């Protein structure tokens, strides 16, 4: 498998970074996961804008212009057989003697790889998935797509250990997001999702879902959702680059609504499928 590291395309097994890379030592870096359909990245501009925002937030200069990123990502996609892929882009602050404070003007480490895109199975779409709730014990900059994902890793593992697919996070009695997804709830026909803030990742799929809702005439609100409301919704969905939109049909072992993916989920899933690929011709 071919990857990209610091200016070179090379086999993944041959890609090496120095042990003093601050990504390895401190998790001092940011990343993106970009879904690709028919060799075309979905919402690439949004992903590159979010990458810029994450880099700015942690004070790393962007090593590439948007047009250079676009070229490199297209080249990486061309190196792989699958037409549907998930491209992983990772930028760290670079290599330096271990010290929390960072030196100025380090050369960032740039790494990219691509894998065949693995979206939810037909059965998961048909039946939905189980989720559990967990306490959101992450930091106060969840809006930065940081590679320092220890809290997310542990929270996701709680779900796996419970035989579930995702942990839905609550902070101070309110829904934030999932361990690796944004969360949408439906009550009385209205789609509700927490507003963007430092407490959630501004998902590219989140934006896409809200645009599809607007275009499809589905009412929505970006508003706080309390734990009490969360436990009383008609439908619950998770969204991410790789899981698209997926219904959560049990929460902490209790059915969500009637325990099956709801009508608004079905509508949204169909809209998503209809719009994720580049238009032909
Ligand atoms: N994760 N919130 C968190 C904490 C996430 O890790 C992700 C995505 C999202 C959804 O963002 P988007 O719609 O842009 O994928 C929300 C990616 C897929 C990952 O870490 O693999």
């Amino acid at each position: 498998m071919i990857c990209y590291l610091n200016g070179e395309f090379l086999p993944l097994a041959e890609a090496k970074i120095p042990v003093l890379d601050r990504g390895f030592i401190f998790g001092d870096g940011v990343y993106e996961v970009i879904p690709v359909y028919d060799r075309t990245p979905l919402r690439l501009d949004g992903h590159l804008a979010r990458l810029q925002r994450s880099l700015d937030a942690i004070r790393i200069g962007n090593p590439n212009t948007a047009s250079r990123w676009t070229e490199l990502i297209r080249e990486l996609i061309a190196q792989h057989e699958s037409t549907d892929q998930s491209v992983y882009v990772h930028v760290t602050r670079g290599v330096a003697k271990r010290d929390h404070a960072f030196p100025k003007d380090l050369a960032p480490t740039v790494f990219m790889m691509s894998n065949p895109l693995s979206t939810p199975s037909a059965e998961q779409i048909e039946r939905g998935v189980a989720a559990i709730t967990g306490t959101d014990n992450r930091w106060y900059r969840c809006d930065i797509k940081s590679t320092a994902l220890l809290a997310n890793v542990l929270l996701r593992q709680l779900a796996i250990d419970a035989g579930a697919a995702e942990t839905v996070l609550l902070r101070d009695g309110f829904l934030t997001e999932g361990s690796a997804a944004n969360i949408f709830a439906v009550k009385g026909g209205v789609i509700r999702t927490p507003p963007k803030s430092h407490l959630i990742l501004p998902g590219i799929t989140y934006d896409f879902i809200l645009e599809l809702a607007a275009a499809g005439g589905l009412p929505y609100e970006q508003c706080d959702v309390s734990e009490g409301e969360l436990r009383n919704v008609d439908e619950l969905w998770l969204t991410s680059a790789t899981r698209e939109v997926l219904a959560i049909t049990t929460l902490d072992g209790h059915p969500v609504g009637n325990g099956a993916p709801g009508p608004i989920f079905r509508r949204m899933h169909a809209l998503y499928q209809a719009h994720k690929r580049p238009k032909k011709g």
Side-chain angles (χ1 to χ4, degrees), residues 132-137 167-177 225-228 230-231 251-252:
I132 59 168
T133 56
T135 301
D136 194 341
N137 54 13
T167 303
V168 174
L169 305 177
L170 291 158
R171 194 192 283 262
D172 301 330
F174 288 89
L175 167 68
T176 53
E177 59 179 339
V225 177
S226 70
E227 176 170 0
L230 178 73
R231 296 195 187 281
L251 189 65
D252 293 330

Side-chain angles (χ1 to χ4, degrees), residues 8-261:
E8 228 192 309
F9 286 93
L10 75 172
L12 185 63
E14 287 171 25
K16 303 268 187 299
I17 56 152
V19 290
L20 286 180
D21 193 286
R22 291 180 59 99
F24 179 61
I25 299 284
F26 293 116
D28 187 357
V30 296
Y31 76 108
E32 283 295 322
V33 177
I34 308 166
V36 174
Y37 298 96
D38 297 334
R39 300 197 176 277
T40 307
L42 178 61
R43 306 210 139 210
L44 182 57
D45 292 353
H47 283 281
L48 293 179
R50 185 173 64 185
L51 177 63
Q52 181 70 59
R53 197 179 167 281
S54 296
L55 289 167
D56 289 345
I58 72 163
R59 299 159 62 182
I60 295 179
N62 195 333
N64 292 309
T65 60
S67 63
R68 182 71 183 136
W69 278 119
T70 304
E71 278 171 18
L72 291 171
I73 290 167
R74 287 198 188 287
E75 172 70 30
L76 183 70
I77 294 168
Q79 301 269 359
H80 291 77
E81 215 174 291
S82 300
T83 54
D84 292 358
Q85 302 177 22
S86 93
V87 168
Y88 176 84
V89 177
H90 177 139
V91 181
T92 80
R93 199 177 303 278
V95 182
K97 180 174 176 294
R98 185 181 181 278
D99 183 350
H100 286 63
F102 45 83
K104 271 205 191 121
D105 305 325
L106 274 188
T109 300
V110 180
F111 170 65
M112 296 197 287
M113 63 181 165
S114 188
N115 286 289
L117 181 64
S118 152
T119 52
S121 66
E123 194 196 328
Q124 286 178 317
I125 294 162
E126 203 46 46
R127 296 204 184 161
V129 296
I132 59 168
T133 56
T135 301
D136 194 341
N137 54 13
R138 300 174 300 164
W139 67 335
Y140 284 98
R141 289 307 306 272
C142 298
D143 55 318
I144 301 173
K145 201 161 173 57
S146 162
T147 57
L149 286 172
L150 183 55
N152 302 66
V153 163
L154 292 171
L155 288 163
R156 167 60 71 81
Q157 195 60 39
L158 286 180
I160 303 309
D161 294 348
E166 184 55 296
T167 303
V168 174
L169 305 177
L170 291 158
R171 194 192 283 262
D172 301 330
F174 288 89
L175 167 68
T176 53
E177 59 179 339
S179 71
N182 290 112
I183 304 290
F184 290 73
V186 178
K187 183 72 183 174
V190 180
I191 304 167
R192 298 210 164 88
T193 194
K196 289 184 185 174
S197 74
H198 60 290
L199 299 179
I200 69 168
L201 185 79
I204 304 303
T205 319
Y206 172 112
D207 289 341
F208 192 31
I209 292 287
L210 293 184
E211 282 174 35
L212 290 173
L218 300 171
Y220 70 86
E221 265 173 26
Q222 289 164 277
C223 61
D224 290 335
V225 177
S226 70
E227 176 170 0
E229 288 167 330
L230 178 73
R231 296 195 187 281
N232 250 299
V233 295
D234 303 324
E235 301 186 23
L236 202 57
W237 317 336
L238 62 82
T239 69
S240 82
T242 48
R243 291 191 286 180
E244 303 182 334
V245 55
L246 189 57
I248 294 172
T249 44
T250 69
L251 189 65
D252 293 330
H254 301 290
V256 175
N258 67 6

